[in-house]
Amino acid sequence: MFLQKSNIVEQLRPAPEGHDIPPPPAPPPPPPPTVPEMDQFKKPVDFKIIGLIFFGRPPNIAILDCYLKKNLVSNGGFLDEVHFVVNTDKKQDIKYLDKLVKTDKLYTKVILPELGYKSVWEHSVEPEHMYIKIDDDIIFFDDNAIANAVYTKLNHPDSFAVVANLVNSPETGWLHYHFGAIHSYLPETVKPPKDTDGAALGPKAWRASALPVWNEDGEMSFPVTMDKSDDGSVLDADNPAAPPFKGHRWLPLPDSKKNIYKTPMAKTEYYAYGPDWKSWALGAQVHYSLLENIEKNQMHLYHYGVSSPSSSEGVWNMAYDRMNINFMAIWGKDVLDNAPFDGPDDEHELSVNIPLKLNRPILVNTHAVAAHFSFRTQHELYDTDLLSRYRAYANEMICTKKNQISIPKDG
């Protein structure tokens, strides 16, 4: 039995707008740590585990590279190989990849006969391997994410695939909000002084504790708009819901629990095409909340879901609702047995159509936390300093001295 949306939706509905009700109760304490840590997981040896990276966007890949290298078998991880599938025709990006694959013998570049997500799946997998599909804008995943996804897939062979507990994803975002993993943040609207402490601003800043508390004139709120095209265009600068300026930060509110209803995430919905998908503001808030949870060592806030008597893996059954597949464990055979896909939307095929046809749902391992930077509808996230913060965290905590991420000229 897996925990499903219908089991808790009534208890976790957000407050009606304008109603003054007390904040949600504090989440329960984490269960006993019966799931083994990374160094206690035993890597399966009777099949290969291959990282399948949908390649593009070098600034994001530069961060992901550190996580991939840390998880290679040569470094004690689970990944036997990493395949970077070229799904771009930008020459400069391909040139970057050519250099990247030379940095490790387990890295491989895969050229497709034609571009497109369907082509990636049909020409990049083999039946006997398990694949950890990772998008190029995954800019954080915890030490146990791959191992947890692999073991949940093995423990639940009736599942079609296992996805990570994604930060910045509609359904999981709704759950994170109601289980207490989201904190109160709003954007600063005035540029900070140039002499601001480097722990709070700059290429080495990532800790939430170094941020000043939000203290702006005017109402404590920020608008969330759904009136936006899906084609990747950005909001006009004079739109009230647009970013205040390039490189701005989001700052913690005083009395976070009391003021959470004044923040963008109060608009979250358990719906694939809702505000969590369309609004960059919701995305910014969940990312800053993750960095706070990392610093405070409170990642248990994301660990909801059903556990078995022998482990506390935390499983959430998507029950055939659409789910983002930015980080997913899946057998090559299950892909090939159902290829070619009926349409160009691989995510809908792999999370809804095929699982429904086979009666094999997608599962989320809630202990496998991964951060997805942005949807095409959230390009404004690049106007925050979040990419710099994730880069700073990776350089300090994940990358080795040999593969430090270079700091762009613009910071």
Side-chain angles (χ1 to χ4, degrees), residues 89-105:
D89 55 5
K90 295 182 179 179
K91 293 182 180 180
Q92 196 65 25
D93 291 358
I94 296 173
K95 185 178 179 180
Y96 170 88
L97 178 59
D98 288 336
K99 291 182 179 179
L100 179 63
V101 295
K102 293 177 182 178
T103 64
D104 199 284
K105 63 182 180 180

Side-chain angles (χ1 to χ4, degrees), residues 17-329:
E17 189 170 354
H19 285 227
D20 185 15
I21 67 172
T34 55
V35 172
E37 295 300 317
M38 182 73 169
D39 59 356
Q40 295 175 290
F41 274 117
K42 184 176 181 181
K43 181 191 178 300
V45 295
D46 50 348
F47 59 88
K48 281 187 177 181
I49 300 172
I50 298 177
L52 186 67
I53 315 303
F54 284 31
F55 173 78
R57 295 176 282 194
N60 300 351
I61 287 286
I63 299 173
L64 178 59
D65 172 49
C66 289
Y67 290 87
L68 295 173
K69 284 189 168 76
K70 183 176 182 178
N71 283 273
L72 293 173
V73 290
S74 54
N75 293 321
F78 271 39
L79 296 177
D80 294 288
E81 302 171 15
V82 175
H83 296 178
F84 293 90
V85 184
V86 180
N87 196 29
T88 179
D89 55 5
K90 295 182 179 179
K91 293 182 180 180
Q92 196 65 25
D93 291 358
I94 296 173
K95 185 178 179 180
Y96 170 88
L97 178 59
D98 288 336
K99 291 182 179 179
L100 179 63
V101 295
K102 293 177 182 178
T103 64
D104 199 284
K105 63 182 180 180
L106 298 181
Y107 279 9
T108 300
K109 173 184 171 183
V110 178
I111 302 294
L112 299 172
E114 59 180 345
L115 297 181
Y117 295 121
K118 286 180 63 177
S119 183
V120 171
W121 290 112
E122 293 170 18
H123 300 285
S124 303
V125 302
E126 298 178 8
E128 66 271 21
H129 306 320
M130 182 181 289
Y131 290 86
I132 309 298
K133 182 263 194 183
I134 304 176
D135 281 353
D136 62 0
D137 60 349
I138 292 292
I139 33 73
F140 165 88
F141 59 88
D142 62 34
D143 288 345
N144 300 333
I146 291 177
N148 269 311
V150 168
Y151 268 86
T152 294
K153 187 71 192 79
L154 296 176
N155 290 340
H156 304 281
D158 53 324
S159 67
F160 184 69
V162 173
V163 297
N165 190 2
L166 292 170
V167 171
N168 196 25
S169 180
E171 291 88 346
T172 49
W174 186 89
L175 290 159
H176 297 165
Y177 176 76
H178 288 289
F179 278 105
I182 306 302
H183 310 297
S184 296
Y185 282 85
L186 287 176
E188 60 184 351
T189 59
V190 178
K191 290 186 178 181
K194 291 184 178 180
D195 61 352
T196 298
D197 186 347
L201 179 70
K204 294 185 178 181
W206 68 267
R207 288 175 173 82
S209 61
L211 290 168
V213 175
W214 189 90
N215 184 23
E216 304 267 346
D217 293 332
E219 186 179 355
M220 185 184 287
S221 66
F222 190 77
V224 172
T225 180
M226 292 290 288
D227 184 18
K228 185 182 178 187
S229 171
D230 298 346
D231 62 4
S233 59
V234 299
L235 295 168
D236 293 334
D238 60 354
N239 190 308
F245 56 89
K246 182 76 173 177
H248 74 280
R249 304 170 298 177
W250 281 54
L251 306 180
L253 300 185
D255 202 343
S256 178
K257 291 182 180 180
K258 176 182 177 181
N259 290 318
I260 191 74
Y261 295 118
K262 301 176 182 178
T263 65
M265 275 299 290
K267 304 291 187 183
T268 184
E269 295 179 10
Y270 194 98
Y271 174 53
Y273 301 104
D276 302 72
W277 176 65
K278 226 167 188 183
S279 171
W280 73 275
L282 275 73
Q285 188 178 348
V286 300
H287 282 304
Y288 273 92
S289 295
L290 172 62
L291 290 169
E292 178 177 334
N293 291 330
I294 292 170
E295 181 187 0
K296 292 182 175 179
N297 193 28
Q298 53 189 29
M299 296 298 286
H300 65 274
L301 296 177
Y302 298 99
H303 299 170
Y304 53 87
V306 164
S307 303
S308 69
S310 60
S311 78
S312 60
E313 62 183 339
V315 174
W316 179 268
N317 186 344
M318 287 305 301
Y320 311 111
D321 283 332
R322 180 175 178 131
M323 178 60 189
N324 299 131
I325 57 172
N326 308 95
F327 189 112
M328 173 177 68

